[in-house]
Amino acid sequence: MSSIEGPSKQTASILERIRQPADLRTLSTAELEQLAGEIRQLITEAVSRRGGHLASNLGVVELTIALHYVFDFYKDRLLWDVGHQCYAHKILTGRKDRLLQLRQENGLSGFPSPEESPADVFSVGHAGTSIATAIGMALGAQHNKTEEKIVAFVGDASIVNGLSFEALNNLGLVKRQLLIVLNDNSMAIDTTQGSLASLLSRVRLSHTYEDIRQTTAMILNHLPVIGKPMEEALQNLKKTIRMAISPSRLFESLNIHYFGPVDGHDIGSLIQIFKGLSELDRPAILHVFTRKGKGFTPADKNPRRFHSTGPFVMNGESVSPSPQGRTFTDAFSDALLKAAQNNPRIIAITAAMSDGTGLSKFRQQFPERYYDVGIAESAAVDIAAGLAKQGLQPVVCIYSTFLQRSFDQIFQEVSLQNLPVVFCIDRAGAVGDDGPTHHGLWDIGYLRMLPNLILISPANEKEMEGALHYAFQQKQPVAIRYPRDLVPVCPPASEIGKEPFRTGRSVWVRRAESEWVIAALGPLTAEALQAAEELAQEGIEVSVINARFAKPIDPALVELFAQGKTVIVLEDHSRAGGFGEALLAEAAQRAFVEKRPDIHTAIGKAVLLAGPDDQYIPVAKRQTQMKWMGLTAENIAETIRKLASADLSVRCKEESIRSRRQ
Amino acid sequence: MSSIEGPSKQTASILERIRQPADLRTLSTAELEQLAGEIRQLITEAVSRRGGHLASNLGVVELTIALHYVFDFYKDRLLWDVGHQCYAHKILTGRKDRLLQLRQENGLSGFPSPEESPADVFSVGHAGTSIATAIGMALGAQHNKTEEKIVAFVGDASIVNGLSFEALNNLGLVKRQLLIVLNDNSMAIDTTQGSLASLLSRVRLSHTYEDIRQTTAMILNHLPVIGKPMEEALQNLKKTIRMAISPSRLFESLNIHYFGPVDGHDIGSLIQIFKGLSELDRPAILHVFTRKGKGFTPADKNPRRFHSTGPFVMNGESVSPSPQGRTFTDAFSDALLKAAQNNPRIIAITAAMSDGTGLSKFRQQFPERYYDVGIAESAAVDIAAGLAKQGLQPVVCIYSTFLQRSFDQIFQEVSLQNLPVVFCIDRAGAVGDDGPTHHGLWDIGYLRMLPNLILISPANEKEMEGALHYAFQQKQPVAIRYPRDLVPVCPPASEIGKEPFRTGRSVWVRRAESEWVIAALGPLTAEALQAAEELAQEGIEVSVINARFAKPIDPALVELFAQGKTVIVLEDHSRAGGFGEALLAEAAQRAFVEKRPDIHTAIGKAVLLAGPDDQYIPVAKRQTQMKWMGLTAENIAETIRKLASADLSVRCKEESIRSRRQ
């Protein structure tokens, strides 16, 4: 039994009658409210089974219903920001029957996906894109002379992103309708980041329920209607809704028409307001208050816990998270705490991902050494650079995919200055359920190009601690990447992680008299070991090296080629730009510069097992994605088995080619 | 004879007496004003000889003098934004004798450089970094409990960048002094981009000279002084300086103390104001009006022409630009115009680099199909993505180094959606005088990882036109990269560019019966041809292939390995992440997947001639930098000459290794 507000199961379902959004227009306000309850029920059930974003989706149900009531998003365009709050939208646009396959292979993505429905415009997952892409679409409509309405839906956490601001600053390019819905679900002062969030909080705290009702009434009374002069209506409206504390001063300084705040759970009023605003002939922003987690008591009380959650048990009012093992995030969290206890110069910085990156304990223990800058990855890196210039030891904790937003800052403010900033890159590699918008498959590629930067991938928990210890001792930038996964439990006899990290030094973890050597990056070392053991039982001997460093490349790895070894490189990363390519190129370079023909003969035999080239990996369990990439122990064993069996015939071929050529 | 306002050469020089900034404090205001004239003289002379940023530097002379009068920037920290306006700062901090070696090998960088002086904090060249790094330094001072003052100096063009906004939004983290000097030299409404710029313009237009004098007086009267209660002083000040149009409403919505606008050429007042503001115990922003190009009539009249200029002749009032040849930018400019005349769906987008990227003609001819979003590279790409979704054909024109700011947008909003956005990437490769902050040495690396994207480098002007024509025909994103250089003049007999572009197809431009094959990317094809001709005269035959595509890799290039060729790859790009690595990895992959031992034997013999690994290339002429990278015709010939002479001995060695191993 769940704790969802709304109708009991006995009541006739309205949701069942909704085949398309247009069906909403046949319902009364009371029925729409009942529908909201049913949608909440479905969302909670889906997330309890599959994990996902609960609180934010529960908060926007009425807003989503009202938007679909007024607009036709098969013709009009709805641009979600981040997109994690699109579940009600999916339910209303023909996907309700598949919601229980949320975030599942061949199921529904947890984010908007044009492949699923023409009502989804962009596949998104990163913050701050909706206003900029909406401007592009509105300009496109201007050029095409078409009349579709454009709506950007952005949360108070995303609008502080630099990209959002760049877009707001360019909103004046648009000379037609473009509505920005600012979904303001800020929870309380203590969790907001930055001045804009603080302004929104002050607005929220200063507005009583009665104020909001009045504002809504004023907007409805004054909204320009067709036939009535638009300028006059807008002027009258501005005169009436000015309050002491209002974002209108901010937005109107930027020449953006501001309306609000209004109640995001009042479907009837929202429909009226959207009807009015859809007729505006210029861009406008509607500020809407919503309550994150509304309707599901545990989520309402603890929206942070239910922002993004794994599956959980719906058990009356209480919620038990599904059991999980120890993750790389946990390992990092404890390793950092330990390092920070002995080193008062360590400062942690994150971009709105305190829990996700494992900084909660650090935040509690060292609040004065912790900074959360909100969804502002670029600024996070530059603030770290400033701290490093002052002799402190900043550690920047950002997911691999979001760190892409900081590429230019890592280049100029960190690598070019050669500052000892430590980057702890969680969610590096395939990420599982979140899918293509969130994979961390490019960080080695964009980081290893940058001079001065060292790039490590630890193999297990012990190595996480070792890598972090090493990183804080360097006088140059160091990045440590690790996946959204459990730390491998290495065999008791394993020595992995015992040896201290030394720059660019790999570690042999299994030595065999064999042509086959696996050079594994990070946790793939455990997979390689398992494959090697399996193969040993079949009489195929394989050596395994824990590469540790994606940059610099260990010269000992290059020497493998001189020994005529067939090197099998494993990395949870795009092959393009990855560690394997770096190793090949480094070997070719040494063969050339050091005039070592002994090196070059075996380079081409290398086998690069990595992410696919030129395609995106769809939503699935991470383990499945690893299989697709050929990176599980089983895959690796199979690849080497084939290589070994082909080896004799290949050798014969080689000889015949060689003799023909000579 | 120059047209600089200020003292004639006969007057005793004050600048000669300034050995360090502290010497400023011995001068009267009249003498400081005379000094400003002398500094202008020196700056104009330096730029006329060496090229550089003239107008912006002339505009900030008094401001720079006043800052150095009040602060001690060997202890206090001055953070320049972009940094192109730091010439007066260099003159005052012990570098005046070297200013005539501006932007020269072993001379002075045109940007701040900690290697030159402890008064320079960060090497910068990109926009929007100063406030974020200043926050980091201020937080560092908080942790260190030190008292140095922090000043961020940012222009009105940079403050609209998303990174600036992310930083402004996080300014509240700082609980101590931090002064932002907003240098507002906006020229006129028609050249400003975005709402903030438009607000600043309205402020400028609505403020008479008398208003500014009054504001200055009010600030001076009310500035909190030590001992006087700070809160009260700030409240009084706020009450007095409110005007109908003021950025104070914008900044104070964000809880940022705003002062201004004040006259940036009034040294006496500026000194008083900086003295007062240096005592503030919290972050503040001072809004200063300056005149770009002030004091040098041609630059004052045409600041856009003198924003960034090559050397010019100082000839009374008139200025003749030094003769130059036809550049890739020119070639692009005309090719785009031609394409756009036949295709009304082409829309051009730039980020404040209309002239630099060659869009001036397009802007004039198709104003309604041209968008300049200001220094907002991230938004530029997303707006393009929105336009492409609407069926238009956006072409995004951004320098390689600044496109790094758009990496995440190219990933998510373009590559993941597979939208046909065309990127025209000027300044790809070594950039010459601008140095390390501006090199375009990483674009192949970060772009070729992204699925769906095609990456081209045209070899000459004809190929630029062909590449652009090809790009607009694709249904997927295409990037075209080209250097800040003249287009190579190919021999009359050359066929380069005649053949139409076909996806992933390279073109042979010289066929020889030889082991040596050069695979050259873009304009390096011309260097390769020249080297091959030189070598032919010595009896060494070399084939040359114009690779055209950095992605996808031509399978025909992979077949070269099967033919046992020694492939010499040329690219004006970091070796790490570059085309050469991609080719090696692609060859190894095919050898593995297609079970082709004939391919892999020669892969390791490949020679990758590219940018250096793990180091930055300093300021010098581009031609010199190309020499350092080993990419001139002469270098290439020398490399192959050595390879050829070593070849016999290498072959012998190989044979002995092979026989030992068998």
Side-chain angles (χ1 to χ4, degrees):
Chain A
M1 201 191 96
S2 87
S3 59
I4 302 299
E5 289 168 14
S8 71
K9 299 242 170 184
Q10 286 71 39
T11 319
S13 164
I14 291 176
L15 184 52
E16 269 174 25
R17 287 153 50 196
I18 304 292
R19 307 248 163 263
Q20 52 195 8
D23 296 337
L24 295 172
R25 288 172 216 138
T26 65
L27 302 179
S28 68
T29 306
E31 287 172 314
L32 291 171
E33 280 161 5
Q34 185 188 327
L35 176 67
E38 294 175 27
I39 289 174
R40 281 204 171 83
Q41 177 96 27
L42 178 54
I43 289 173
T44 310
E45 195 175 335
V47 176
S48 77
R49 292 196 199 179
R50 308 283 324 142
H53 291 87
L54 185 59
S56 47
N57 274 292
L58 294 180
V60 302
V61 174
E62 287 86 0
L63 253 176
T64 307
I65 292 173
L67 280 168
H68 277 286
Y69 189 104
V70 174
F71 297 93
D72 168 9
F73 289 122
Y74 293 93
K75 182 171 73 64
D76 300 326
R77 311 278 59 192
L78 175 57
L79 296 145
W80 295 98
D81 211 287
V82 185
H84 60 300
Q85 73 292 62
C86 68
Y87 299 173
H89 164 77
K90 292 203 175 195
I91 291 170
L92 292 174
T93 50
R95 288 169 276 183
K96 62 174 184 251
D97 299 335
R98 295 167 65 202
L99 202 76
L100 296 181
Q101 283 84 51
L102 186 69
R103 292 157 50 82
Q104 206 166 2
E105 193 182 335
N106 300 317
L108 283 188
S109 162
F111 295 90
S113 170
E115 288 167 21
E116 289 175 10
S117 166
D120 294 5
V121 188
F122 277 85
S123 299
V124 285
H126 292 203
T129 68
S130 68
I131 306 174
T133 48
I135 291 175
M137 299 204 75
L139 295 178
Q142 272 174 217
H143 284 281
N144 292 337
K145 301 192 178 16
T146 50
E147 298 296 321
E148 71 273 27
K149 311 292 181 187
I150 312 283
V151 179
F153 190 105
V154 56
D156 57 298
S158 287
I159 204 166
V160 301
N161 183 271
L163 176 55
S164 296
F165 175 75
E166 289 183 356
L168 286 173
N169 190 43
N170 277 289
L171 207 54
L173 293 174
V174 176
K175 311 295 182 198
R176 73 187 297 282
Q177 180 280 343
L178 189 172
L179 175 63
I180 299 166
V181 177
L182 172 57
N183 171 36
D184 179 0
N185 59 25
S186 82
M187 293 170 278
I189 289 280
D190 78 273
T191 56
T192 57
Q193 311 303 339
S195 331
L196 182 55
S198 145
L199 170 66
L200 295 179
S201 284
R202 277 179 288 139
V203 174
R204 185 180 275 261
L205 293 172
S206 68
H207 279 64
T208 62
Y209 188 68
E210 194 44 43
D211 289 335
I212 293 170
R213 282 180 63 91
Q214 277 182 19
T215 307
T216 305
M218 279 190 275
I219 293 173
L220 289 176
N221 287 337
H222 285 87
L223 259 184
V225 283
I226 301 171
K228 196 173 164 186
M230 183 91 55
E231 296 303 334
E232 191 191 319
L234 287 173
Q235 287 309 320
N236 289 341
L237 185 57
K238 268 187 212 169
K239 277 179 212 146
T240 53
I241 66 167
R242 282 269 157 71
M243 293 195 61
I245 301 170
S246 165
S248 70
R249 293 162 54 168
L250 172 68
F251 291 114
E252 295 195 353
S253 293
L254 297 172
N255 256 336
I256 301 169
H257 293 287
Y258 168 90
F259 299 93
V262 301
D263 177 3
H265 302 295
D266 175 355
I267 298 188
S269 298
L270 287 172
I271 288 173
Q272 295 311 311
I273 290 173
F274 286 138
K275 277 185 181 163
L277 290 179
S278 72
E279 300 299 331
L280 260 191
D281 62 353
R282 62 200 73 187
I285 191 162
L286 176 70
H287 180 193
V288 182
F289 284 159
T290 60
R291 235 169 63 227
K292 226 173 171 174
K294 182 179 163 65
F296 177 57
T297 317
D300 211 354
K301 282 189 185 151
N302 190 0
R304 182 183 250 172
R305 157 76 182 84
F306 287 94
H307 172 72
S308 174
T309 172
F312 57 88
V313 182
M314 282 172 66
N315 178 21
E317 290 280 315
S318 80
V319 161
S320 337
S322 305
Q324 285 206 326
R326 190 155 170 83
T327 63
F328 269 99
T329 311
D330 298 330
F332 163 68
S333 181
D334 290 344
L336 179 67
L337 215 60
K338 196 170 156 186
Q341 276 152 358
N342 301 316
N343 182 348
R345 307 192 79 70
I346 292 175
I347 312 274
I349 300 168
T350 186
M353 288 292 169
S354 158
D355 295 351
T357 60
L359 286 180
S360 317
K361 289 184 199 169
F362 186 96
R363 184 185 65 221
Q364 278 157 23
Q365 199 158 338
F366 305 108
E368 77 294 350
R369 285 158 61 186
Y370 165 85
Y371 299 108
D372 179 355
V373 298
I375 306 182
E377 294 84 3
S378 307
V381 170
D382 275 9
I383 290 173
L387 284 161
K389 270 273 177 196
Q390 292 281 35
L392 294 155
Q393 298 199 268
V395 50
V396 176
C397 303
I398 297 179
Y399 295 172
S400 172
T401 191
F402 300 142
L403 194 64
Q404 294 173 182
R405 285 278 173 89
S406 313
F407 173 49
D408 190 58
Q409 288 73 43
I410 302 174
F411 150 66
Q412 188 181 261
E413 284 80 77
V414 179
S415 151
L416 178 56
Q417 327 291 325
N418 196 13
L419 288 173
V421 175
V422 176
F423 296 92
C424 287
I425 310 177
D426 204 325
R427 272 69 163 165
V431 294
D433 306 332
D434 280 337
T437 52
H438 283 64
H439 290 310
L441 290 168
W442 294 289
D443 51 54
I444 297 177
Y446 65 81
L447 292 174
R448 76 175 171 83
M449 295 190 292
L450 301 179
N452 301 317
L453 199 137
I454 291 171
L455 186 47
I456 300 177
S457 185
N460 63 4
E461 171 143 19
K462 220 184 291 172
E463 289 223 333
M464 172 66 88
E465 198 178 316
L468 202 58
H469 179 78
Y470 163 88
F472 285 125
Q473 289 178 315
Q474 305 312 304
K475 303 235 176 301
Q476 66 197 97
V478 180
I480 305 174
R481 78 186 299 262
Y482 39 92
R484 178 179 209 166
D485 210 340
L486 305 182
V487 287
V489 181
C490 297
S494 162
E495 298 288 299
I496 293 177
K498 284 210 174 156
E499 207 174 303
F501 277 73
R502 285 184 301 159
T503 305
R505 293 295 181 88
S506 60
V507 184
W508 285 79
V509 291
R510 181 188 179 103
R511 276 184 198 272
E513 283 300 317
S514 160
E515 173 172 356
W516 317 106
V517 183
I518 300 177
L521 198 62
L524 289 171
T525 305
E527 300 290 329
L529 275 177
Q530 201 184 316
E533 273 159 37
E534 203 176 296
L535 289 167
Q537 291 175 355
E538 304 165 23
I540 304 171
E541 283 300 328
V542 180
S543 299
V544 177
I545 295 175
N546 169 13
R548 283 189 163 179
F549 289 82
K551 181 188 168 208
I553 297 285
D554 189 350
L557 295 178
V558 172
E559 290 307 316
L560 295 173
F561 296 109
Q563 294 152 23
K565 304 289 187 194
T566 296
V567 182
I568 297 121
V569 183
L570 303 184
E571 60 185 317
D572 181 9
H573 186 274
S574 153
R575 197 200 73 187
F579 166 59
E581 284 190 357
L583 176 57
L584 291 194
E586 178 69 13
Q589 185 73 355
R590 282 190 189 246
F592 164 60
V593 173
E594 298 170 10
K595 299 193 178 60
R596 295 268 309 271
D598 61 324
I599 294 180
H600 75 60
T601 48
I603 292 175
K605 286 198 293 179
V607 175
L608 310 186
L609 298 183
D613 272 349
D614 228 40
Q615 72 187 68
Y616 284 97
I617 303 172
V619 170
K621 288 276 142 223
R622 176 170 149 84
Q623 188 58 18
T624 308
Q625 293 167 341
M626 294 302 275
K627 211 160 143 183
W628 290 339
M629 298 195 288
L631 294 173
T632 65
E634 205 179 322
N635 296 142
I636 298 161
E638 184 55 25
T639 298
I640 294 175
R641 205 173 282 128
K642 278 189 191 155
L643 280 169
S645 73
D647 194 41
L648 193 64
S649 65
V650 164
R651 276 175 199 273
C652 296
K653 260 205 213 173
E654 275 185 311
E655 278 314 302
S656 84
I657 289 160
R658 203 173 287 147
S659 53
R660 259 185 293 147
R661 202 180 286 144
Q662 281 158 9
Chain B
M1 199 193 97
S2 87
S3 59
I4 302 299
E5 289 169 14
S8 70
K9 298 242 172 185
Q10 286 71 38
T11 319
S13 164
I14 291 177
L15 184 51
E16 268 174 28
R17 287 152 50 195
I18 305 292
R19 307 246 162 263
Q20 51 195 9
D23 296 337
L24 294 172
R25 287 171 215 139
T26 64
L27 302 179
S28 68
T29 305
E31 286 171 314
L32 292 170
E33 280 162 3
Q34 184 187 331
L35 176 66
E38 293 175 28
I39 289 175
R40 281 203 170 83
Q41 176 97 27
L42 178 54
I43 288 173
T44 311
E45 194 174 339
V47 177
S48 78
R49 290 197 200 177
R50 307 282 324 143
H53 291 89
L54 184 59
S56 48
N57 274 291
L58 295 180
V60 302
V61 174
E62 287 86 0
L63 254 177
T64 307
I65 292 174
L67 280 168
H68 277 286
Y69 189 103
V70 173
F71 298 93
D72 168 11
F73 290 122
Y74 292 94
K75 182 170 73 64
D76 301 326
R77 311 274 60 188
L78 175 57
L79 295 146
W80 295 98
D81 212 286
V82 187
H84 60 300
Q85 72 293 62
C86 68
Y87 299 173
H89 164 76
K90 292 204 174 193
I91 291 170
L92 292 174
T93 51
R95 287 170 276 182
K96 63 175 183 251
D97 298 336
R98 295 168 64 202
L99 203 76
L100 296 181
Q101 282 84 50
L102 186 69
R103 295 156 49 81
Q104 205 166 4
E105 193 183 337
N106 300 316
L108 283 188
S109 160
F111 294 90
S113 171
E115 289 166 22
E116 288 175 12
S117 165
D120 294 5
V121 188
F122 277 84
S123 301
V124 284
H126 293 202
T129 68
S130 69
I131 306 174
T133 49
I135 290 175
M137 300 205 74
L139 295 178
Q142 273 175 214
H143 285 282
N144 292 337
K145 301 191 179 17
T146 49
E147 299 295 323
E148 71 273 27
K149 311 293 182 187
I150 312 283
V151 179
F153 190 105
V154 56
D156 57 297
S158 287
I159 205 165
V160 300
N161 184 271
L163 175 55
S164 296
F165 176 75
E166 289 184 355
L168 285 172
N169 190 44
N170 276 289
L171 206 55
L173 293 174
V174 176
K175 311 296 182 198
R176 74 187 297 282
Q177 180 279 341
L178 188 172
L179 176 63
I180 299 166
V181 177
L182 171 57
N183 171 36
D184 179 359
N185 59 26
S186 81
M187 292 170 276
I189 289 280
D190 78 273
T191 57
T192 57
Q193 311 302 338
S195 332
L196 182 55
S198 144
L199 171 66
L200 295 179
S201 283
R202 277 178 288 139
V203 174
R204 186 180 274 261
L205 293 172
S206 68
H207 278 65
T208 62
Y209 188 68
E210 191 48 40
D211 290 335
I212 294 170
R213 283 181 63 93
Q214 277 182 20
T215 307
T216 304
M218 280 189 274
I219 293 173
L220 289 176
N221 288 337
H222 285 86
L223 259 185
V225 283
I226 301 172
K228 198 173 166 187
M230 183 92 52
E231 298 303 333
E232 190 192 316
L234 286 174
Q235 287 310 321
N236 289 341
L237 185 57
K238 268 186 210 170
K239 279 178 210 147
T240 53
I241 66 168
R242 283 267 157 72
M243 293 193 62
I245 301 170
S246 164
S248 71
R249 292 164 55 170
L250 172 70
F251 290 114
E252 297 196 353
S253 293
L254 297 172
N255 257 336
I256 301 168
H257 293 287
Y258 167 90
F259 300 91
V262 299
D263 177 3
H265 301 295
D266 175 354
I267 297 187
S269 300
L270 286 172
I271 287 174
Q272 295 309 311
I273 290 172
F274 285 137
K275 276 185 182 163
L277 290 178
S278 72
E279 300 300 332
L280 259 192
D281 62 353
R282 64 201 69 188
I285 191 162
L286 177 69
H287 181 192
V288 183
F289 283 159
T290 59
R291 236 171 60 227
K292 225 174 172 175
K294 182 178 161 68
F296 178 56
T297 318
D300 211 353
K301 282 188 186 153
N302 190 0
R304 180 183 252 172
R305 158 77 183 84
F306 288 95
H307 173 71
S308 174
T309 172
F312 56 88
V313 182
M314 284 171 68
N315 177 22
E317 290 279 314
S318 79
V319 161
S320 337
S322 304
Q324 284 204 328
R326 190 153 171 84
T327 64
F328 270 98
T329 312
D330 297 331
F332 162 69
S333 181
D334 289 345
L336 178 67
L337 214 60
K338 197 169 156 187
Q341 276 153 357
N342 301 316
N343 182 347
R345 307 193 78 71
I346 292 175
I347 311 273
I349 299 169
T350 186
M353 288 290 170
S354 158
D355 294 351
T357 60
L359 286 180
S360 318
K361 287 184 199 168
F362 185 97
R363 185 184 65 221
Q364 279 158 21
Q365 200 158 341
F366 305 107
E368 77 293 350
R369 285 158 61 187
Y370 164 85
Y371 297 108
D372 179 356
V373 297
I375 306 182
E377 293 84 2
S378 307
V381 170
D382 275 11
I383 290 173
L387 283 160
K389 270 273 176 196
Q390 292 280 38
L392 294 155
Q393 297 200 269
V395 50
V396 175
C397 303
I398 296 180
Y399 295 172
S400 172
T401 191
F402 299 141
L403 194 64
Q404 294 173 181
R405 285 279 173 88
S406 313
F407 173 47
D408 191 58
Q409 288 72 43
I410 302 174
F411 150 65
Q412 187 180 263
E413 283 80 78
V414 179
S415 150
L416 178 57
Q417 327 292 326
N418 196 13
L419 289 173
V421 175
V422 176
F423 296 93
C424 287
I425 310 177
D426 204 326
R427 271 69 164 167
V431 293
D433 306 333
D434 281 337
T437 51
H438 283 64
H439 289 310
L441 290 169
W442 294 289
D443 50 56
I444 297 176
Y446 65 82
L447 292 174
R448 77 176 170 83
M449 298 191 290
L450 301 179
N452 301 319
L453 199 138
I454 291 171
L455 186 47
I456 301 177
S457 185
N460 63 4
E461 171 143 20
K462 222 184 288 172
E463 290 223 332
M464 172 67 88
E465 198 178 318
L468 203 58
H469 179 77
Y470 164 88
F472 284 124
Q473 289 177 316
Q474 304 313 304
K475 304 236 175 299
Q476 65 196 96
V478 179
I480 305 173
R481 78 186 299 262
Y482 39 92
R484 180 179 208 168
D485 209 341
L486 304 183
V487 287
V489 181
C490 298
S494 162
E495 298 289 298
I496 295 177
K498 284 210 174 154
E499 208 174 306
F501 277 72
R502 284 182 302 159
T503 304
R505 294 294 182 88
S506 61
V507 184
W508 286 80
V509 292
R510 182 188 179 103
R511 278 184 196 271
E513 283 299 316
S514 159
E515 173 172 354
W516 317 106
V517 183
I518 299 177
L521 198 63
L524 289 171
T525 305
E527 300 290 327
L529 276 177
Q530 200 184 318
E533 274 161 35
E534 203 176 297
L535 289 166
Q537 292 175 354
E538 302 165 24
I540 305 172
E541 283 300 327
V542 180
S543 299
V544 178
I545 294 175
N546 169 14
R548 283 189 164 178
F549 289 82
K551 183 192 164 206
I553 297 283
D554 189 348
L557 295 178
V558 172
E559 290 306 318
L560 295 173
F561 296 109
Q563 295 152 22
K565 305 289 188 193
T566 296
V567 182
I568 296 121
V569 183
L570 303 184
E571 60 185 317
D572 180 10
H573 186 275
S574 154
R575 198 202 71 189
F579 166 59
E581 285 190 357
L583 177 57
L584 292 194
E586 177 70 14
Q589 185 73 356
R590 284 189 187 244
F592 165 60
V593 174
E594 298 170 9
K595 299 193 179 58
R596 294 269 308 272
D598 61 323
I599 293 181
H600 76 58
T601 47
I603 292 176
K605 286 198 293 181
V607 176
L608 309 186
L609 298 182
D613 272 349
D614 228 40
Q615 73 187 67
Y616 284 97
I617 302 173
V619 170
K621 287 275 143 225
R622 176 169 148 85
Q623 188 57 16
T624 307
Q625 293 167 342
M626 293 302 274
K627 210 161 147 183
W628 289 340
M629 299 196 286
L631 293 173
T632 64
E634 206 179 323
N635 296 141
I636 298 160
E638 184 55 22
T639 298
I640 295 175
R641 206 173 281 128
K642 279 188 191 157
L643 281 170
S645 72
D647 194 40
L648 194 64
S649 64
V650 164
R651 276 174 198 272
C652 297
K653 262 204 214 175
E654 276 184 311
E655 279 313 301
S656 84
I657 289 159
R658 203 173 286 148
S659 52
R660 259 183 291 146
R661 203 180 286 145
Q662 281 158 6

